[in-house]
Amino acid sequence: MASRSVLRVLGVDPGLTRCGVGVVDVAADRSATLVHVGVIRSDAHAPIEQRLALIAAGIRSVIDTHRPHVVAVERVFAQHNTHSVMGTAQASGVALLIAGESGLPAATHTPTEIKAAITGYGAADKRQVQQMVARILRLDAVPQPADAADALAIALCHAWRGEGTTSPGAAPRTASMTPAQRAWAGAERAARR
Amino acid sequence: MASRSVLRVLGVDPGLTRCGVGVVDVAADRSATLVHVGVIRSDAHAPIEQRLALIAAGIRSVIDTHRPHVVAVERVFAQHNTHSVMGTAQASGVALLIAGESGLPAATHTPTEIKAAITGYGAADKRQVQQMVARILRLDAVPQPADAADALAIALCHAWRGEGTTSPGAAPRTASMTPAQRAWAGAERAARR
């Protein structure tokens, strides 16, 4: 497990075909470091129970190897009655379950919260968020596929925002800079070194 | 595990607050016997990851005790963008995962398929389905709460229909009586004994 002076967060971008997983260390000054990023894939032709078991095994393996303090999962909305939304919700349930079974707290964040935390703008496009993730973590390129970068965005969002939407009573942040502004400043400082 | 001359099915009516679980034995002549019925409850105020872990532990316990051959789960539809639909989908993902991790095949059935299998009428009301379940299983009363009776309906539906919606290529049944008609006949014979 990471030292307690940093918060180690596992972010999960839930999905059946590609489930993004990203682990970051975030220090008290909010600077962030990449620990792990990847994607758990499952075959669309495999039975659903085997696909979910594969995703569960993948998430357990990341937790066992990297020992995060908390698991953050993107919140799924049923905007359309599509098969894929239900699959995404099932995968998110599996991610939250593995957190609970591992004795870790979990939180969910909405896409708007994630975009706002990373770029300072809740309606930012996905590409903008992914580029910010690469800058914040001082990576040479955006992690591929997109689900991997999205998982890192979720992890960073959680570390910067705190408790997530499941705890509406969490204290608001009062610093004059937004987390995104602070991250930008940090990334720019790092780039000048 | 039940003898191979009967099919033992675990039906799951997925839900976060009340997750119905019902196990039935269905013989080659389609007569059915109650093995187990219950409801796994979780506290609406508990964190989601702990609620899902509780549901997972409950389903695992039923599988360990009663050794079903297959797990059938009611298919969730996102008709409304409600929090509860997403919770239901997450619980269904957990049920399917436990099946996969237990090495059991799983299937999902739609509410219409379940109603049609049990009553012969896809638009039957829930109460009608529950009363049929009690008659088919020769119970003195409808199992309570409703989620428990619904779980039994899902299990019976699976045994009578076969593979479920995940296997559209399953062979159609050709007998002249519907499963519901056959069950009625069986239940009436049993009542006269």
Side-chain angles (χ1 to χ4, degrees), chain A residues 48-49 52-53 56 60 75-78 80-81 83 85-86 89-90 92-94 96-97 99-101 104-106, chain B residues 48-49 52-53 56 60 75-78 80-81 83 85-86 89-90 92-94 96-97 99-101 104-106:
Chain A
I48 177 72
E49 67 275 18
L52 291 168
R60 276 201 198 94
R75 194 156 168 183
V76 183
F77 289 94
H80 308 288
N81 182 13
H83 196 70
V85 167
M86 287 295 112
Q90 291 173 332
S92 80
V94 165
L96 292 166
L97 169 70
E101 290 187 338
L104 298 177
Chain B
I48 178 73
E49 68 276 17
L52 291 168
R60 276 201 197 95
R75 194 156 168 184
V76 184
F77 289 94
H80 309 288
N81 182 13
H83 196 70
V85 166
M86 287 296 111
Q90 291 173 332
S92 80
V94 165
L96 293 166
L97 169 71
E101 290 186 338
L104 298 176

Side-chain angles (χ1 to χ4, degrees), chain A residues 83, chain B residues 73-75 77 106-111 113 157-158 161-170:
Chain A
H83 196 70
Chain B
V73 181
E74 181 165 331
R75 194 156 168 184
F77 289 94
T108 58
H109 298 279
T110 67
E113 288 168 348
C157 167
H158 181 79
R161 276 182 61 92
E163 294 294 300
T165 47
T166 50
S167 300

Side-chain angles (χ1 to χ4, degrees), chain B residues 100-143:
Chain B
E101 290 186 338
S102 305
L104 298 176
T108 58
H109 298 279
T110 67
T112 302
E113 288 168 348
I114 296 162
K115 288 171 180 176
I118 304 299
T119 71
Y121 177 50
D125 68 27
K126 269 185 154 300
R127 201 173 141 72
Q128 203 176 338
V129 174
Q130 289 158 8
Q131 289 179 335
M132 266 303 292
V133 165
R135 287 195 182 121
I136 292 163
L137 295 171
R138 303 173 302 282
L139 308 176
D140 292 334
V142 173

Side-chain angles (χ1 to χ4, degrees), chain A residues 114-173:
Chain A
I114 296 163
K115 288 171 180 176
I118 303 298
T119 70
Y121 177 50
D125 68 27
K126 270 185 154 300
R127 200 173 143 73
Q128 203 177 338
V129 172
Q130 290 158 7
Q131 288 178 334
M132 266 304 293
V133 165
R135 287 195 182 122
I136 292 163
L137 295 172
R138 302 172 302 280
L139 309 176
D140 292 335
V142 173
Q144 295 299 332
D147 315 77
D150 291 345
L152 294 171
I154 295 157
L156 290 169
C157 167
H158 182 79
W160 286 343
R161 277 182 60 93
E163 295 293 302
T165 47
T166 50
S167 301
R173 306 223 174 263

